[in-house]
Amino acid sequence: MNHMYLNRSSKYLLLTFFILGIFVSSLISQTKSCDPIPEERKIEILLKKIGNFEGSFIRNGDAHDAKEAENHLRYKLKEAKNSFFAPDPKEWTAKLFIEKIATKSFLSGTPYKIRYPNGKEVLSSAWLNEELRNIERCP
């Protein structure tokens, strides 16, 4: 009888692990996996965020509206991608865009700033890096 008890106990134990395995497997399959966003798409999202910003962009001491800033950065990006010295256009990343295009004036070296409607100013690099983290965050 003792032998049958162990068999029955083992069967219950196996059945419990089997049911637990199905439950865990279903939980894992229900969690949404994040597909990586192509770098070109990240850059486009950042440009759109710039163009839709409610405040101003400060470039070389002058305030520009969001659409002007977006257009300016699109122009700089296009020129940079066509430059002999720049990486291949396919190798551009959102981080490279922020670092080389969207943080300072190419001519003066003066950092770009973002001015919120309440007057608070932050460096564009900080704002853009935070926006990039938000883009890359898995929902």
Side-chain angles (χ1 to χ4, degrees):
M1 247 204 223
N2 198 8
H3 178 63
M4 289 180 78
Y5 175 73
L6 288 175
N7 269 342
R8 193 178 316 157
S9 176
S10 296
K11 287 178 185 177
Y12 286 128
L13 187 60
L14 285 173
L15 181 61
T16 302
F17 281 125
F18 179 73
I19 292 171
L20 184 61
I22 291 172
F23 177 72
V24 169
S25 175
S26 70
L27 282 177
I28 291 171
S29 68
Q30 289 177 5
T31 59
K32 184 180 176 187
S33 65
C34 291
D35 294 329
I37 300 171
E39 293 297 319
E40 190 66 32
R41 179 73 183 122
K42 290 178 193 176
I43 294 169
E44 183 58 32
I45 293 169
L46 287 172
L47 285 164
K48 292 280 186 199
K49 286 183 174 287
I50 291 165
N52 292 322
F53 185 68
E54 294 295 322
S56 316
F57 285 74
I58 312 301
R59 192 175 81 231
N60 291 322
D62 297 325
H64 299 273
D65 70 30
K67 275 299 174 196
E68 287 176 319
E70 178 186 357
N71 291 337
H72 176 72
L73 294 177
R74 282 185 187 282
Y75 172 78
K76 279 182 71 175
L77 180 61
K78 179 182 168 193
E79 292 298 310
K81 284 184 174 182
N82 291 328
S83 169
F84 176 75
F85 301 103
D88 184 282
K90 294 178 195 119
E91 295 175 14
W92 277 82
T93 64
K95 285 245 183 242
L96 188 64
F97 164 73
I98 292 170
E99 181 185 323
K100 300 295 184 187
I101 305 298
T103 58
K104 65 182 177 181
S105 169
F106 176 73
L107 297 175
S108 71
T110 304
Y112 294 157
K113 294 181 182 176
I114 304 233
R115 183 180 297 148
Y116 288 89
N118 67 5
K120 176 185 172 188
E121 290 184 5
V122 296
L123 293 174
S124 67
S125 58
W127 187 84
L128 286 165
N129 280 307
E130 179 63 28
E131 291 297 324
L132 180 58
R133 281 190 291 279
N134 292 335
I135 291 167
E136 293 175 334
R137 188 172 293 128
C138 186

